[in-house]
Amino acid sequence: MKVYIGSDHNGFHLRESLVTYLHGKGFDVEDEGDAKLDPSDDYPVFAAKVAQAVLASSDDEPRGILICGSGQGMCMAANRYKGIRAALGYDRDSVRLARHDDDANVLCLPARLLQSKETLQLVDLFLTTPFAAAPRFIRRIKEMDDEL
């Protein structure tokens, strides 16, 4: 599975540690974030990079991870792209249901609110939870895509 990851300055250090962690777990990771910390960067730039990379990926099930202070801005920016289903992940239930019911393909994390061990658990859950593919879930995703 190919994982694209990006962050603004608020998630810079968390992104660096997640890239290392995911490489260690054998994931093919593409870092779409800045190489150095820039306190004046803007989250929509990185949301666009990750969303576009997920949509253009040749991988069968590409995933994106976006990190900013609250996770909200990244989520809003990423969801502007048709085919992106970005979800704010703040606890195990929010992440599990986003994958299981809604086939989320981008996880948005709030760097200011999560501890590092908790973040790793949420990322693992996001990358391992399968989409249930129940007819009602498929229908709802199609309705969202048709409306955009």
Side-chain angles (χ1 to χ4, degrees), residues 44-55:
V45 172
F46 304 104
K49 287 181 179 185
V50 168
Q52 291 169 352
V54 167
L55 292 172

Side-chain angles (χ1 to χ4, degrees), residues 34-120:
D34 276 345
K36 63 182 177 119
L37 181 61
D38 178 2
S40 66
D41 63 14
D42 294 318
Y43 65 83
V45 172
F46 304 104
K49 287 181 179 185
V50 168
Q52 291 169 352
V54 167
L55 292 172
S57 181
S58 60
D59 190 85
D60 289 340
E61 247 190 292
R63 302 277 172 83
I65 299 172
L66 291 167
I67 311 159
C68 67
S70 70
Q72 295 285 14
M74 286 290 198
C75 201
M76 287 184 233
N79 277 319
R80 292 181 163 266
Y81 293 84
K82 186 175 182 171
I84 293 296
R85 292 173 304 282
L88 179 62
Y90 51 88
D91 65 14
R92 293 180 59 79
D93 283 339
S94 67
V95 173
R96 184 182 58 77
L97 292 171
R99 278 292 312 135
H100 183 270
D101 294 6
D102 302 314
D103 198 19
N105 54 7
V106 174
L107 175 64
C108 300
L109 296 169
R112 290 187 190 131
L113 303 175
L114 296 174
Q115 300 301 315
S116 123
K117 181 180 177 185
E118 182 183 20
T119 301
L120 298 179

Side-chain angles (χ1 to χ4, degrees), residues 1-20:
M1 174 186 304
K2 181 89 171 189
V3 179
Y4 301 90
I5 187 168
S7 72
D8 67 1
H9 55 281
N10 286 303
F12 181 85
H13 297 295
L14 180 56
R15 186 191 85 240
E16 285 186 324
S17 65
L18 281 176
V19 167
T20 301

Side-chain angles (χ1 to χ4, degrees), residues 18-30:
L18 281 176
V19 167
T20 301
Y21 174 75
L22 292 170
H23 277 302
K25 294 200 76 149
F27 286 98
D28 182 5
V29 181
E30 189 166 319

